[in-house]
Amino acid sequence: ARGEVAAAALQARENEAMADELRLRAVWHRLLLLRLHGRRNARLRALREAGALAAELHAEAAEERVAVARAAAALRLAQRQLHALAQREQRAIVEREVGYPRREQG
């Protein structure tokens, strides 16, 4: 009977040690899962932030394209105005040299 009690006590201690080890493994796996989940969330957050940054850069690029188009249109207008001014100045020089307006030559 003593041997059975001792064996049962030994088995109980082994079972308790096994249960402790299993609880420790469960905690370790849970921590690992949380860590992996945290990394996944961090990657997803980084992707969202990168997507938001890309959208922001795309919007800025669109605004810059509009600004460049406006500047190009303003430049073309200024070039036309400059050309018209140069033509008026050329007419004025010819009129001074000839002594009458070129338009009346015809």
Side-chain angles (χ1 to χ4, degrees):
R2 270 191 183 180
E4 290 178 13
V5 171
L10 179 61
Q11 187 65 45
R13 282 193 300 274
E14 286 176 0
N15 288 349
E16 199 173 305
M18 181 69 75
D20 287 344
E21 185 177 332
L22 289 174
R23 278 192 291 273
L24 185 61
R25 281 187 188 179
V27 167
W28 186 84
H29 284 290
R30 178 71 179 143
L31 289 174
L32 181 61
L33 261 173
L34 288 173
R35 182 175 171 210
L36 292 174
H37 189 69
R39 284 184 180 175
R40 179 178 171 269
N41 284 345
R43 279 196 307 274
L44 290 175
R45 186 171 40 257
L47 282 173
R48 278 194 304 273
E49 289 171 1
L53 179 60
E56 185 179 323
L57 291 174
H58 182 73
E60 287 177 13
E63 290 172 5
E64 288 176 4
R65 283 192 298 274
V66 168
V68 166
R70 286 182 181 153
L75 177 61
R76 286 190 299 274
L77 176 62
Q79 287 172 331
R80 285 193 301 274
Q81 291 172 339
L82 183 60
H83 181 69
L85 179 62
Q87 286 180 328
R88 284 195 299 273
E89 288 178 354
Q90 187 64 36
R91 276 191 219 108
I93 290 170
V94 169
E95 288 172 1
R96 276 196 309 271
E97 290 176 358
V98 176
Y100 57 87
R102 285 178 62 192
R103 288 184 296 284
E104 295 176 7
Q105 284 179 348

